[in-house]
Amino acid sequence: NAGVTQTPKFQVLKTGQSMTLQCAQDMNHEYMSWYRQDPGMGLRLIHYSVGAGITDQGEVPNGYNVSRSTTEDFPLRLLSAAPSQTSVYFCASSYFAGSYNEQFFGPGTRLTVL
Amino acid sequence: KQEVTQIPAALSVPEGENLVLNCSFTDSAIYNLQWFRQDPGKGLTSLLLIQSSQREQTSGRLNASLDKSSGRSTLYIAASQPGDSATYLCAVEAQGGSEKLVFGKGMKLTVNP
């Protein structure tokens, strides 16, 4: 198993540009989520999905869109990048199976918005 | 709103010491608590998961305990090594349907040879 994979690893954008961060998992996990990690703020939930076709907002959803057309993939779209979106983005997945719900994280995407 | 706190934010110790890392949370309605390790510039690696009905979990030199009623967890690292240097994060999975993790801000551990 490759686990949770994310592409790209690094990205530099100009203000106003759009892009999609890719996330895929090969563990047949139902639950997938996106977090951003900022110094002094910890990890904060952006969006999550409990299965194909179902998504919902987390703590900091503004400026981001998601979709879940397959179990494996959960892309995160930045509609119009802003410097405040400079961050490290992590995708995570887990089984949707009650209290034993170990979450697995991807390696992250480092995004800089100029 | 669930809040998770890790104090201190950083710790520097000599090699060989036994360590206790602390994590506290404000709402005891959790499914589980998970400890992660993060190396600089890397993703999160799951170390231990304790279900809400459990008191502790062990993996090698690591032992994590959970006292849900008091909102506390500890991660015990035996005989620390320089390779243990990393940031350690705890996170609780809140009950209520979203299955989301609420993270502490982490504790940066440095083990000096």
Side-chain angles (χ1 to χ4, degrees), chain B:
Chain B
K1 179 184 175 183
Q2 177 75 265
E3 293 183 359
V4 179
T5 303
Q6 293 182 251
I7 296 174
L11 184 65
S12 181
V13 299
E15 181 177 6
E17 281 201 2
N18 298 322
L19 305 175
V20 176
L21 283 60
N22 296 305
C23 173
S24 61
F25 49 96
T26 55
D27 188 345
S28 62
I30 63 171
Y31 282 127
N32 58 57
L33 184 144
Q34 199 166 351
W35 282 94
F36 295 89
R37 169 185 172 137
Q38 185 175 30
D39 293 291
K42 303 293 185 182
L44 280 70
T45 300
S46 178
L47 297 174
L48 289 166
L49 179 144
I50 311 177
Q51 298 177 58
S52 62
S53 59
Q54 296 176 326
R55 296 284 293 181
E56 64 178 320
Q57 283 287 331
T58 298
S59 176
R61 293 184 296 109
L62 305 179
N63 176 278
S65 67
L66 174 64
D67 184 343
K68 204 172 68 164
S69 61
S70 68
R72 294 177 186 271
S73 175
T74 59
L75 178 66
Y76 177 82
I77 303 176
S80 58
Q81 303 170 358
D84 294 328
S85 298
T87 296
Y88 291 80
L89 299 103
C90 73
V92 297
E93 182 172 346
Q95 292 184 0
S98 72
E99 311 294 328
K100 69 175 186 179
L101 288 179
V102 179
F103 281 87
K105 294 182 180 179
M107 195 212 75
K108 184 176 182 181
L109 173 66
T110 303
V111 181
N112 301 300

Side-chain angles (χ1 to χ4, degrees), chain A residues 25-66:
Chain A
Q25 53 87 14
D26 61 356
M27 298 175 281
N28 202 31
H29 286 170
E30 290 292 330
Y31 181 80
M32 297 185 73
S33 55
W34 278 100
Y35 292 84
R36 60 177 289 173
Q37 186 177 35
D38 302 292
M41 300 294 293
L43 281 95
R44 293 179 292 168
L45 182 66
I46 305 171
H47 285 286
Y48 65 96
S49 168
V50 300
I54 306 169
T55 63
D56 207 344
Q57 296 180 351
E59 183 183 356
V60 287
N62 292 340
Y64 308 95
N65 271 358
V66 292

